[in-house]
Amino acid sequence: MPEEKKGFFGRLVSGLAKTRANIVAGMDNIFSGFSAIDDEFYEEIEETLILGDIGINATNAIIQDLKAKVKEQKLKEPSQCKDLLIASIREQMEVGEVAYRFEEEKSVVLVIGVNGVGKTTSVGKLAGKLKDQGKKVILAAADTFRAAAGEQLTEWASRAGVDIISGCEGADPASVVYDAVCAAKARNADVLLCDTAGRLHNKKNLMEELRKINRIIDREYPNAYRETLVVLDGTTGQNALEQARQFKSVVDITGIILTKLDGTAKGGIAVAIQSEMGIPVKYVGVGESIDDLQKFKADEFVNALFHQG
């Protein structure tokens, strides 16, 4: 066993322990338990991937890729397939270069997500990270429908040492964003982070609300770079993928924040989201502290999943 790794990679490795037990242990049994590479061998791998929440489409693509490589390299032993499988999973997670342009220029970041996924906490942690980079950050508490969302964000704002603009509970979210945009311009903020609602059960209202917010930003702050991040709870597996699909039908998503990856057996959902949605996971959360939200690197994720490197 290599010396214990510290830092975020170490937390990711330990956070993915249940997912690893779910997927990797199953794989190892297949690679050591089969004597030939046949249909049953591929079916077992397929079932293990699907049970690990990697998703049907991503799993199909991984299996097809694996079959092609086995044929091309004329492999006969199941044990020879492990590295090829890991490489195929990596390839499925490629979504091109993942840009964090909003860190480099004046920008407005909308953060949406349903209740309970860790959205407000993620906004607070992101504010803290940006502040640590020397950015001037303003938070907009535009999730005015959830009781205590404003209080929770105010607590995070003071912890991160950033300004916050909020309205009273039940206020029009767009009016809070308007005030926040005015403040961001007046105070020469680098990043305006907007915590917005995500009531998917009423998509029509959500769509109208986001349109209204976007119109205000277009009109009042046309030069700002725009980013829309959706927060998904990693413990919900395929439900998270379905939420991503639904949000994508309502708004142009530029990235995903995947929370609660620590201690879930459904960490494979990160593969499914990148592969099936083509939307990059930009941040992952593996715990409660401000440092537990980090930029997502697919290579690092696969290494942590298979405990390599």
Side-chain angles (χ1 to χ4, degrees):
M1 196 73 175
E3 65 180 80
E4 193 188 351
K5 291 187 185 299
K6 300 286 185 282
F8 188 71
F9 181 77
R11 293 202 294 280
L12 195 55
V13 168
S14 57
L16 289 171
K18 284 186 184 169
T19 303
R20 192 161 44 248
N22 207 5
I23 299 175
V24 182
M27 289 300 173
D28 287 343
N29 289 340
I30 297 166
F31 292 132
S32 61
F34 273 80
S35 55
I37 299 173
D38 54 16
D39 287 347
E40 196 184 339
F41 169 75
Y42 287 122
E43 278 166 21
E44 288 282 327
I45 292 176
E46 187 175 18
E47 188 178 335
T48 304
L49 291 174
I50 289 170
L51 289 174
D53 275 277
I54 281 176
I56 290 172
N57 295 347
T59 295
N60 286 342
I62 289 164
I63 297 292
Q64 293 312 314
D65 187 54
L66 181 61
K67 284 180 175 177
K69 284 175 177 160
V70 165
K71 194 173 176 183
E72 188 184 305
Q73 296 179 29
K74 299 183 170 60
L75 301 182
K76 298 283 179 251
E77 296 297 320
S79 58
Q80 295 172 305
C81 295
K82 184 174 180 178
D83 288 343
L84 291 182
L85 179 73
I86 295 171
S88 294
I89 291 172
R90 265 188 230 284
E91 280 169 33
Q92 279 306 304
M93 298 186 78
E94 286 304 315
V95 288
E97 193 188 343
V98 178
Y100 294 85
R101 253 181 73 187
F102 71 91
E103 292 182 344
E104 310 305 326
E105 45 196 294
K106 294 273 192 283
S107 56
V108 179
V109 181
L110 292 186
V111 184
I112 57 181
V114 300
N115 284 350
V117 294
K119 174 171 59 77
T120 300
T121 304
S122 296
V123 173
K125 288 178 182 177
L126 192 50
K129 295 189 83 60
L130 292 165
K131 174 80 188 301
D132 287 348
Q133 291 173 24
K135 307 287 179 200
K136 186 173 176 60
V137 181
I138 292 181
L139 295 181
D143 184 354
T144 56
F145 292 96
R146 183 166 73 85
E151 287 164 39
Q152 195 186 351
L153 198 61
T154 302
E155 173 62 37
W156 273 106
S158 86
R159 208 180 294 180
V162 301
D163 293 349
I164 183 167
I165 306 295
S166 48
C168 53
E169 196 180 311
D172 178 13
S175 70
V176 176
V177 171
Y178 174 82
D179 290 344
V181 166
C182 292
K185 291 193 296 186
R187 299 174 201 177
N188 199 26
D190 296 303
V191 182
L192 171 60
L193 273 178
C194 304
D195 182 15
T196 61
R199 298 182 311 289
L200 267 178
H201 59 270
N202 195 334
K203 280 210 296 198
K204 192 168 180 293
N205 281 12
L206 175 63
M207 217 180 290
E208 281 309 311
E209 188 180 298
L210 291 171
R211 273 201 197 113
K212 199 169 167 187
I213 287 171
N214 280 318
R215 273 201 304 271
I216 284 168
I217 301 166
D218 288 343
R219 188 182 69 222
E220 302 297 328
Y221 207 178
N223 299 332
Y225 178 73
R226 305 284 289 282
E227 184 91 34
T228 302
L229 302 175
V230 169
V231 182
L232 301 171
D233 177 343
T235 64
T236 63
Q238 293 301 306
N239 281 349
L241 187 59
E242 185 50 37
Q243 279 177 24
R245 285 198 187 100
Q246 292 200 39
F247 276 120
K248 194 179 180 185
S249 72
V250 171
V251 68
D252 182 21
I253 304 169
T254 55
I256 305 276
I257 298 176
L258 193 58
T259 64
K260 308 182 192 179
L261 269 191
D262 50 319
T264 176
K266 297 174 183 287
I269 199 62
V271 182
I273 288 167
Q274 297 223 148
S275 172
E276 301 195 12
M277 304 294 297
I279 297 168
V281 175
K282 292 199 171 179
Y283 294 91
V284 284
V286 291
E288 292 306 309
S289 85
I290 206 154
D291 292 331
D292 290 328
L293 184 78
Q294 294 281 349
K295 285 179 181 173
F296 179 75
K297 297 180 179 70
D299 261 5
E300 208 172 73
F301 175 85
V302 177
N303 287 345
L305 182 58
F306 289 91
H307 207 166
Q308 296 183 317

